DNA sequence: ATGACGGATGATATCCGA
């Protein structure tokens, strides 16, 4: 009995629906966390997702953001929506549920560009708020996966050219990385990194400037495992070929397999 | 240095993303 959990920033659930259903049918994840739905709850394609055999819990927002948790043959039971600590924050970026015997959070962490500036400040505040929630989950000892688009490039070997145009990007600033490593230091395991410690594995390729064709990518979609689940990690990878298809997202699905 | 591509929107130009 294994559990396969995946994260996929789909860049528009309505525009990506055929690709999304195709990916679910081909790879059959037990749990799939989605980000950047770019759809309000009212226009969410619930019938199509359920017809693919998945329970569908979502937190939509018109135009931007939006996160969801899909579970094969099961309905995720919501445990939290949004993060505490900033009452005026209306952005749909965090959704948490119990399903298939684990706690799972679908995360769409703010991009933070341009930096410095208010968007970067919001990113760093959001990371601090996420860490507070993550501490509560660790203390609970519930087997937990925090997964999604973190918009953080943790190491220089997680980006094709660390000294090029990305060097000043919010995704790899020291403040972003410090917040990432503070979170991991509390006891989380970066599933993909633990299986591919040398780096060089990308989850995102820009649509622009031939990013995919030149393999100019970086790693920003992550799965963080609580200690009990880290002990059960059997494999992790990226469904890279899905990035090369017609009308693909700019992210590729990223997954971990647990025993 | 800039823009490039793509999705979404009370759209036909502008925003946001990474």
């Amino acid at each position: 009995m294994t559990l396969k959990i995946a994260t996929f920033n789909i860049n528009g659930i309505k525009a990506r629906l055929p690709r999304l259903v195709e990916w679910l049918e081909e790879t059959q994840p037990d749990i799939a966390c989605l980000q950047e739905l770019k759809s309000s709850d009212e226009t969410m394609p619930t019938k199509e997702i359920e017809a693919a055999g998945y329970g569908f819990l979502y937190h939509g927002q018109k135009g931007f953001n939006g996160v969801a948790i899909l579970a094969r043959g099961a309905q995720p039971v919501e445990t939290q929506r949004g993060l505490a600590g900033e009452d005026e924050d209306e952005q749909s970026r965090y959704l948490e549920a119990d399903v298939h015997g684990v706690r799972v959070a679908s995360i769409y962490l703010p991009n933070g560009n341009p930096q410095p500036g208010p968007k970067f400040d919001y990113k760093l505040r959001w990371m601090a708020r996420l860490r507070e929630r993550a501490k509560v989950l660790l203390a609970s000892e519930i087997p937990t996966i925090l997964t999604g688009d973190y918009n953080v490039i943790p190491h220089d070997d997680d980006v094709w050219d660390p000294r090029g145009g990305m060097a000043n990007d919010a995704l790899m600033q020291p403040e972003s990385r410090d917040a990432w490593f503070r979170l991991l230091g509390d006891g989380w395991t970066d599933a993909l990194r633990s299986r591919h410690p040398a780096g060089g594995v990308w989850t995102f390729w820009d649509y622009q400037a031939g990013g995919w064709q030149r393999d100019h990518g970086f790693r920003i979609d992550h799965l963080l495992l609580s200690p009990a689940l880290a002990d059960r990690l059997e494999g992790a990878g990226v469904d890279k070929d899905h990035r090369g298809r017609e009308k693909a997202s700019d992210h590729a699905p990223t997954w971990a397999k647990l025993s």
Side-chain angles (χ1 to χ4, degrees):
Chain A
M1 173 73 189
T2 60
L3 186 74
K4 184 179 181 185
I5 176 158
T7 182
F8 189 9
N9 178 321
I10 53 175
N11 188 21
I13 193 168
K14 296 189 288 285
R16 208 68 57 221
L17 194 55
R19 283 283 96 89
L20 172 61
V21 171
E22 175 184 79
W23 170 71
L24 290 171
E25 289 174 349
E26 286 183 20
T27 68
Q28 307 221 334
D30 297 295
I31 302 172
C33 292
L34 308 181
Q35 302 85 35
E36 274 207 276
L37 305 182
K38 294 185 173 180
S39 168
S40 66
D41 288 348
E42 290 71 27
T43 55
M44 208 64 75
T46 56
K47 285 186 179 61
E48 290 87 344
I49 300 297
E50 287 162 2
Y54 282 81
F56 186 26
L57 178 70
Y58 49 89
H59 184 195
Q61 181 180 336
K62 189 171 189 173
F64 306 103
N65 307 319
V67 288
I69 299 171
L70 281 61
R72 191 155 181 264
Q75 179 59 38
V77 177
E78 181 175 330
T79 54
Q80 185 162 310
R81 176 171 299 232
L83 289 172
E86 197 164 320
D87 290 342
E88 59 274 28
D89 186 1
E90 302 278 326
Q91 301 189 29
S92 297
R93 294 181 177 276
Y94 186 90
L95 185 62
E96 184 191 296
D98 284 329
V99 70
H100 290 319
V102 296
R103 178 71 55 92
V104 58
S106 183
I107 290 165
Y108 180 42
L109 206 146
N111 171 304
N113 280 307
Q115 70 82 28
K119 293 190 174 184
F120 192 57
D121 297 340
Y122 172 62
K123 176 185 191 132
L124 298 179
R125 291 199 307 277
W126 206 96
M127 293 186 80
R129 293 163 61 202
L130 173 64
R131 187 182 178 205
E132 289 308 304
R133 178 59 185 165
K135 283 181 183 174
V136 171
L137 293 167
L138 281 179
S140 76
E141 298 192 357
I142 298 167
T144 301
I145 304 141
L146 302 178
T147 189
D149 177 358
Y150 277 76
N151 272 316
V152 174
I153 298 170
H155 311 87
D156 278 358
D157 60 21
D158 289 318
V159 54
W160 69 278
D161 180 11
R163 275 165 266 293
M166 289 299 292
N168 291 317
D169 197 283
L171 276 55
M172 54 181 290
Q173 291 313 295
E175 296 92 332
S176 306
R177 288 177 164 176
D178 286 349
W180 167 261
F181 286 111
R182 277 195 294 273
L183 175 64
L184 262 66
D186 292 333
W188 300 94
T189 294
D190 175 348
L192 206 91
R193 185 78 185 179
S194 74
R195 285 280 150 172
H196 304 277
V201 178
W202 319 142
T203 68
F204 171 92
W205 294 259
D206 204 309
Y207 289 125
Q208 304 181 65
W212 169 249
Q213 290 76 8
R214 301 175 182 188
D215 198 28
H216 291 176
F218 40 84
R219 186 175 74 99
I220 51 175
D221 300 277
H222 306 303
L223 301 106
L224 296 193
L225 309 178
S226 65
L229 292 184
D231 290 343
R232 292 169 51 188
L233 181 63
E234 288 194 334
V238 178
D239 292 329
K240 185 175 175 179
D241 70 291
H242 286 257
R243 175 62 183 83
R245 301 190 184 190
E246 288 296 313
K247 300 285 285 180
S249 171
D250 41 4
H251 296 249
T254 306
W255 52 267
K257 199 174 287 186
L258 308 175
S259 63

